[in-house]
Structures are given as C-alpha cells and as structure tokens.
Amino acid sequence: MNKRQVIASLNKIANELDTNGLYSEATSLTKIMKKLAMDRFRGNENFDEMFGPMDDENDDSFNPNQFMTMVNALTEIFMPYGDENNIVEKRMEDYNVDPEQPSYENLQEVFRDLDDIIEDPRSNIFHEQKVKLNDKMVNYDQLKAMMMNEAGMM
C-alpha cells in the first residue's frame, strides 16, 4: 500500500469518525494525514516557507477569534427561528461555554439543544441551510463539526 492509499484510507476513517460525532479523534487522524502528505517535502529547503514549521504545538493551537467567527455564523443560521433573543448566545450562556476556552462537553450540550430545534418539524431551520464562513459556504452540520473540533483541541 503506497502513501497515497494510506492517506485515502485514513481520510475515509476520519470522515466516518466525524459522522459518528467523534470529532477530536477525526481531528487527530487529519493531523496524521497532513504530516504524511507533507513528509515528502521535508528535505525541500522551501518546506517551511510553503507550509510553515511542522511542529505539533502549532497544530493544536486554539484560535478564539476563529471560534467566535463560527459562533457568529451559527447565530446567522438560527436568525429565522423567530426568537427575539439570540438563541445561540443564550444556549452558550446556559451551558457556561467560554468562547476563550470552550469546553467540549458544554458545547455538546449546546448542540443537543440546537439539534432539537432543527429536528422540530415546526422549526424553519434546516441542516442544509448555509451561511458564509470566511470565504466558503458551510451548513449547520459542517459548522457543528468545526466547532466541536476546535473545542476538542482545548
């Protein structure tokens, strides 16, 4: 099995873990895949210039600004819910989610409530609903996976 096949297999496993809610495990596999993919450039003097330094500490850094950008995108998805209060912020307060250091467990509670809203047939919020995050469009499930991954890095 060549490196490309190994990476493809790891990618399948990581996607399956993500689908099953094992976000931190999926993130760990993704980091391994990146290292395997970039390994062939290590001898190249331009490696650091192209990809940045290859250190594990840099891989695990939590970015509070990026997390808040994701919270804002999530809030945008729930705007049509019709609640005069910001439902995402309210749930984050209810479960003591600190945007500077979000707890994976507390964020899970927030998403349990938000999942219930999305599953409610009377709700006009859908999994497929997309919002702009940075330069790409993401839906609720993608945003949830990214936020849980970020919290899993803490």
Side-chain angles (χ1 to χ4, degrees):
M1 187 179 265
N2 67 30
K3 193 182 290 189
R4 187 180 205 148
Q5 291 170 316
V6 170
I7 292 170
S9 295
L10 288 174
N11 188 44
K12 271 182 141 175
I13 295 167
N15 287 338
E16 190 66 30
L17 289 169
D18 235 358
T19 301
N20 292 317
L22 300 168
Y23 306 114
S24 60
E25 289 83 353
T27 299
S28 296
L29 270 184
T30 302
K31 290 175 187 175
I32 292 168
M33 290 184 320
K34 284 180 187 176
K35 288 180 181 182
L36 282 172
M38 292 184 204
D39 197 42
R40 70 186 181 111
F41 295 103
R42 282 196 190 275
N44 185 336
E45 59 200 44
N46 296 328
F47 176 82
D48 285 342
E49 189 178 304
M50 289 189 298
F51 302 107
M54 191 71 162
D55 61 350
D56 289 333
E57 286 178 30
N58 195 24
D59 284 351
D60 286 336
S61 63
F62 172 76
N63 183 342
N65 293 330
Q66 176 63 13
F67 185 78
M68 282 312 297
T69 301
M70 289 186 276
V71 169
N72 293 336
L74 187 63
T75 299
E76 198 175 318
I77 286 176
F78 281 87
M79 284 298 191
Y81 186 63
D83 195 336
E84 65 266 2
N85 298 325
N86 180 333
I87 197 156
V88 174
E89 271 184 30
K90 176 91 172 81
R91 293 307 189 274
M92 288 182 67
E93 285 173 16
D94 289 348
Y95 294 109
N96 300 315
V97 175
D98 178 1
E100 296 291 319
Q101 293 184 310
S103 155
Y104 185 86
E105 290 76 21
N106 292 8
L107 200 55
Q108 263 184 322
E109 296 295 328
V110 169
F111 278 112
R112 271 195 206 113
D113 284 2
L114 297 179
D115 288 345
D116 288 344
I117 292 169
I118 284 182
E119 299 300 326
D120 185 343
R122 297 168 294 171
S123 167
N124 57 349
I125 310 295
F126 305 99
H127 286 273
E128 307 81 34
Q129 190 166 336
K130 292 193 173 205
V131 292
K132 190 170 187 175
L133 177 66
N134 300 328
D135 289 330
K136 64 181 181 176
M137 297 298 286
V138 294
N139 66 22
Y140 171 78
D141 292 323
Q142 292 168 320
L143 206 46
K144 177 181 175 180
M146 287 188 276
M147 291 177 75
M148 294 303 290
N149 280 334
E150 279 289 313
M153 291 182 188
M154 298 301 295

